[in-house]
Amino acid sequence: HLKKYPSDYIGALRSTPLKILKLFIHAYQSWLWNETAAKIVHKSQPNSREVKYSLGKFVFGEKINDINIPVLGFGTEISDKEIERITESLLEQEHITLRDFIIPQLPEISSEGTERSLISEAKDVTSETGEDRLTLKFTLPKGSYATIFIKSLINVQL
């Protein structure tokens, strides 16, 4: 599209499947959430364990109190002053505001935001060993990632 219309960026984005466009927004929101969660855990437990990943680090602690952390969007309201301070600093670092999640040119990918629990519990965890292989089976709630659960168990860089 851009070869034919070099300055029509909105047209180029509109030619991208909606699911892919939403994936870009959600991936960025997830990164913001991860950064916020890492700062919260690290502040409450300075000796927390850090595991690097391609865009930063995950922070794991022991006996952390569960709280809801905002998945930032244009409708996000934060009542916890510490979380508000962390997210404001992060938004400033990224040179964005919550209003930037309203995309007038592409309203279908605007994102209001939500909340996600800091702690997710893996359920129905089983393991099987075989020749040179370990198979783990487990269930996680929506919005949780198997790679993070596994990293928390084995502390490797994936």
Side-chain angles (χ1 to χ4, degrees):
H1 183 87
L2 289 175
K3 285 182 181 179
K4 194 171 182 180
Y5 309 100
S7 62
D8 184 15
Y9 302 111
I10 297 300
L13 288 170
R14 286 197 182 284
S15 69
T16 304
L18 182 59
K19 283 185 178 186
I20 299 297
L21 292 175
K22 286 183 176 183
L23 179 67
F24 293 150
I25 301 295
H26 294 158
Y28 186 55
Q29 288 175 304
S30 289
W31 180 81
L32 293 167
W33 188 94
N34 288 337
E35 290 296 303
T36 302
K39 287 176 181 9
I40 290 167
V41 172
H42 190 67
K43 183 172 172 118
S44 70
Q45 295 188 1
N47 295 327
S48 53
R49 184 168 50 106
E50 296 179 357
V51 179
K52 292 181 181 179
Y53 76 108
S54 62
L55 296 175
K57 62 187 173 195
F58 294 113
V59 180
F60 299 97
E62 300 293 325
K63 299 180 182 173
I64 297 171
N65 293 327
D66 194 14
I67 58 171
N68 285 330
I69 298 175
V71 176
L72 299 175
F74 66 82
T76 299
E77 295 180 7
I78 303 171
S79 58
D80 183 288
K81 293 301 179 194
E82 182 62 20
I83 294 174
E84 181 178 45
R85 187 192 63 73
I86 290 169
T87 57
E88 283 178 355
S89 173
L90 188 55
L91 292 171
E92 184 177 313
Q93 173 189 319
E94 289 293 298
H95 306 288
I96 64 169
T97 69
L98 295 176
R99 302 292 295 166
D100 289 324
F101 287 98
I102 297 174
I103 305 164
Q105 304 89 338
L106 296 162
E108 60 273 22
I109 65 168
S110 293
S111 183
E112 187 173 0
T114 187
E115 289 184 330
R116 191 182 317 157
S117 179
L118 175 62
I119 298 176
S120 295
E121 183 181 349
K123 297 192 185 257
D124 307 317
V125 179
T126 61
S127 63
E128 297 173 16
T129 57
E131 279 187 46
D132 302 322
R133 180 172 64 189
L134 170 65
T135 302
L136 295 173
K137 295 181 182 180
F138 51 88
T139 304
L140 292 170
K142 182 179 178 181
S144 300
Y145 296 93
T147 52
I148 305 308
F149 172 64
I150 292 170
K151 278 184 178 221
S152 75
L153 294 175
I154 61 176
N155 193 17
V156 298
Q157 189 168 338
L158 298 174

Coordinates of all heavy atoms in Angstrom, one line a residue, residues 28 31-32 72 86-101:
Y28 N 1.9 -4.2 23.4 CA 2.4 -3.0 24.0 C 1.9 -2.9 25.4 O 2.6 -2.6 26.4 CB 2.2 -1.8 23.2 CG 2.9 -0.6 23.7 CD1 4.2 -0.5 23.9 CD2 2.1 0.6 23.9 CE1 4.9 0.6 24.4 CE2 2.7 1.7 24.4 CZ 4.1 1.7 24.6 OH 4.7 2.9 25.1
W31 N 3.6 -5.3 27.7 CA 4.9 -4.9 28.0 C 4.8 -3.8 29.2 O 5.5 -3.9 30.1 CB 5.6 -4.3 26.8 CG 7.0 -3.9 27.2 CD1 8.1 -4.7 27.4 CD2 7.4 -2.5 27.5 NE1 9.2 -3.9 27.7 CE2 8.8 -2.6 27.8 CE3 6.7 -1.3 27.5 CZ2 9.5 -1.4 28.2 CZ3 7.4 -0.2 27.9 CH2 8.8 -0.2 28.2
L32 N 3.9 -2.9 29.0 CA 3.7 -1.9 30.0 C 3.3 -2.5 31.4 O 3.8 -2.1 32.4 CB 2.7 -0.8 29.6 CG 3.0 0.1 28.4 CD1 1.8 0.8 27.9 CD2 4.1 1.1 28.8
L72 N -3.0 -0.8 30.9 CA -3.2 0.6 30.6 C -4.0 0.8 29.3 O -3.7 0.2 28.3 CB -1.9 1.4 30.6 CG -1.1 1.4 31.9 CD1 0.3 2.1 31.6 CD2 -1.8 2.0 33.0
I86 N 4.2 4.7 39.6 CA 5.0 3.8 38.7 C 4.5 4.0 37.2 O 5.3 4.1 36.3 CB 4.9 2.4 39.1 CG1 5.7 2.2 40.4 CG2 5.4 1.4 38.1 CD1 5.5 0.9 41.2
T87 N 3.2 3.9 37.0 CA 2.7 4.0 35.7 C 2.9 5.4 35.0 O 3.2 5.5 33.9 CB 1.2 3.6 35.6 OG1 0.4 4.4 36.5 CG2 1.0 2.1 36.0
E88 N 2.7 6.4 35.8 CA 3.0 7.8 35.3 C 4.4 7.9 34.9 O 4.7 8.5 33.8 CB 2.6 8.8 36.3 CG 1.1 9.1 36.5 CD 0.8 10.1 37.5 OE1 1.7 10.6 38.3 OE2 -0.4 10.4 37.6
S89 N 5.4 7.4 35.6 CA 6.8 7.4 35.3 C 7.0 6.6 34.0 O 7.8 7.1 33.1 CB 7.6 6.9 36.4 OG 9.0 6.7 36.1
L90 N 6.4 5.5 33.9 CA 6.6 4.6 32.7 C 6.0 5.3 31.5 O 6.6 5.3 30.4 CB 5.9 3.3 33.0 CG 6.1 2.2 31.9 CD1 7.6 1.9 31.7 CD2 5.4 0.9 32.4
L91 N 4.8 5.9 31.6 CA 4.2 6.6 30.5 C 5.1 7.8 30.0 O 5.2 8.0 28.8 CB 2.8 7.1 30.8 CG 1.7 6.0 31.0 CD1 0.5 6.6 31.6 CD2 1.5 5.2 29.7
E92 N 5.6 8.5 31.0 CA 6.5 9.6 30.7 C 7.7 9.1 29.9 O 8.2 9.7 29.0 CB 6.9 10.4 32.0 CG 7.7 11.6 31.8 CD 8.0 12.3 33.1 OE1 7.1 12.5 33.9 OE2 9.2 12.7 33.3
Q93 N 8.3 8.1 30.4 CA 9.5 7.5 29.8 C 9.1 7.1 28.3 O 10.0 7.2 27.4 CB 9.9 6.2 30.6 CG 11.0 5.4 30.0 CD 11.1 4.1 30.8 OE1 11.1 4.0 32.0 NE2 11.3 3.0 30.0
E94 N 7.9 6.6 28.1 CA 7.5 6.2 26.8 C 7.0 7.3 25.9 O 6.6 7.1 24.7 CB 6.4 5.1 26.9 CG 7.0 3.8 27.4 CD 7.9 3.1 26.4 OE1 7.5 2.8 25.3 OE2 9.1 2.9 26.8
H95 N 6.9 8.5 26.5 CA 6.4 9.7 25.8 C 4.9 9.5 25.3 O 4.6 9.8 24.1 CB 7.3 10.1 24.6 CG 8.7 10.3 25.0 ND1 9.1 11.4 25.8 CD2 9.8 9.5 24.8 CE1 10.4 11.2 26.0 NE2 10.9 10.1 25.5
I96 N 4.1 8.9 26.1 CA 2.7 8.7 25.8 C 1.8 9.1 27.0 O 2.3 9.2 28.1 CB 2.4 7.2 25.4 CG1 2.6 6.2 26.6 CG2 3.2 6.8 24.1 CD1 2.1 4.8 26.3
T97 N 0.5 9.2 26.7 CA -0.5 9.4 27.8 C -1.5 8.3 27.6 O -1.6 7.6 26.6 CB -1.1 10.7 27.7 OG1 -2.0 10.8 26.5 CG2 -0.1 11.9 27.6
L98 N -2.4 8.2 28.6 CA -3.5 7.2 28.5 C -4.4 7.5 27.3 O -4.9 6.7 26.7 CB -4.3 7.1 29.8 CG -3.5 6.6 31.0 CD1 -4.4 6.7 32.3 CD2 -3.1 5.2 30.8
R99 N -4.5 8.8 27.0 CA -5.4 9.3 25.9 C -4.8 8.7 24.6 O -5.6 8.7 23.6 CB -5.5 10.8 25.9 CG -6.1 11.4 27.1 CD -7.5 11.1 27.4 NE -8.4 11.7 26.4 CZ -9.6 11.3 26.2 NH1 -10.2 10.5 27.0 NH2 -10.3 11.9 25.3
D100 N -3.5 8.4 24.5 CA -3.0 7.9 23.2 C -3.5 6.5 22.9 O -3.3 6.0 21.7 CB -1.4 7.8 23.3 CG -0.8 9.2 23.3 OD1 -1.4 10.1 22.6 OD2 0.2 9.4 24.0
F101 N -4.2 5.9 23.8 CA -4.9 4.6 23.5 C -6.2 4.8 22.8 O -6.9 3.9 22.4 CB -5.0 3.7 24.7 CG -3.7 3.2 25.2 CD1 -3.0 3.7 26.2 CD2 -3.2 2.0 24.6 CE1 -1.8 3.2 26.6 CE2 -2.0 1.5 25.0 CZ -1.3 2.1 26.0

